[in-house]
Amino acid sequence: RDVLGSRGLGDVYKRQGIPYEIIYDEHNGIVTMNEFDSIKRCNFLITSKEQFCDLFKAESSDFDDEFFKENALYAHIGITGSNDYSFIESINADGNQLIVSRIDIYAWPKTDDYACCNMLIKLKKSDVENISHILVKQKYGSE
């Protein structure tokens, strides 16, 4: 399912726009099945430890004050069909807007099950310091 080639978690993507690093990929379960109805699909730009703790209701030694001195996190939390997956095509900043281009791939056969579709993406804080809005552009495809 690696639609981006041989890249994996921790690789820095510099395709277009601002560089980013996927540090937590989908289907790892930040959101539990019971939380789907209340969350649906959310996108956040996290620039402090306090924001991280508030969003995820937990602390992490990986995302402490030291981490957020130079870094920010883009978090996508959502739901996908159990056989579906998605990936980021590019991340750009335009004025006060973060523009995330993502591609959702619909896999076959279809099932009625759902899974978490989560991503945590590390960005340089200096690349996103004026961001107040997030625009997610989605493209759709199938296997």
Side-chain angles (χ1 to χ4, degrees):
R1 282 211 220 206
D2 190 357
V3 292
L4 295 177
S6 63
R7 301 206 133 181
L9 294 178
D11 290 332
V12 176
Y13 295 88
K14 296 180 183 176
R15 298 173 157 235
Q16 40 180 284
I18 59 178
Y20 63 92
E21 179 183 348
I22 299 172
I23 56 177
Y24 193 90
D25 205 349
E26 60 190 26
H27 304 295
N28 289 338
I30 293 174
V31 179
T32 65
M33 295 297 281
N34 294 333
E35 295 171 307
F36 279 167
D37 290 335
S38 62
I39 291 184
K40 297 298 183 199
R41 200 174 272 253
C42 304
N43 295 279
F44 300 96
L45 184 62
I46 305 167
T47 58
S48 72
K49 176 185 171 184
E50 291 76 24
Q51 284 179 302
F52 181 90
C53 293
D54 185 51
L55 176 62
F56 294 109
K57 307 298 184 226
E59 290 191 34
S60 170
S61 58
D62 292 332
F63 307 115
D64 57 10
D65 289 326
E66 191 64 30
F67 174 86
F68 285 108
K69 282 183 182 177
E70 296 185 14
N71 302 295
L73 291 173
Y74 163 68
H76 169 78
I77 301 170
I79 306 165
T80 186
S82 63
N83 294 330
D84 299 339
Y85 56 100
S86 59
F87 65 94
I88 302 296
E89 185 176 43
S90 67
I91 298 177
N92 293 284
D94 184 12
N96 67 343
Q97 186 166 254
L98 188 69
I99 303 169
V100 179
S101 298
R102 53 183 286 122
I103 299 176
D104 289 345
I105 304 295
Y106 299 123
W108 305 97
K110 296 301 288 176
T111 68
D112 292 332
D113 296 330
Y114 293 96
C116 300
C117 176
N118 306 314
M119 288 186 191
L120 283 181
I121 296 174
K122 183 171 90 171
L123 305 164
K124 285 185 178 179
K125 199 170 194 174
S126 59
D127 288 337
V128 296
E129 60 191 353
N130 297 317
I131 300 299
S132 60
H133 297 84
I134 299 173
L135 172 64
V136 178
K137 295 181 175 182
Q138 289 181 275
K139 296 178 187 176
Y140 300 97
S142 62
E143 286 189 327

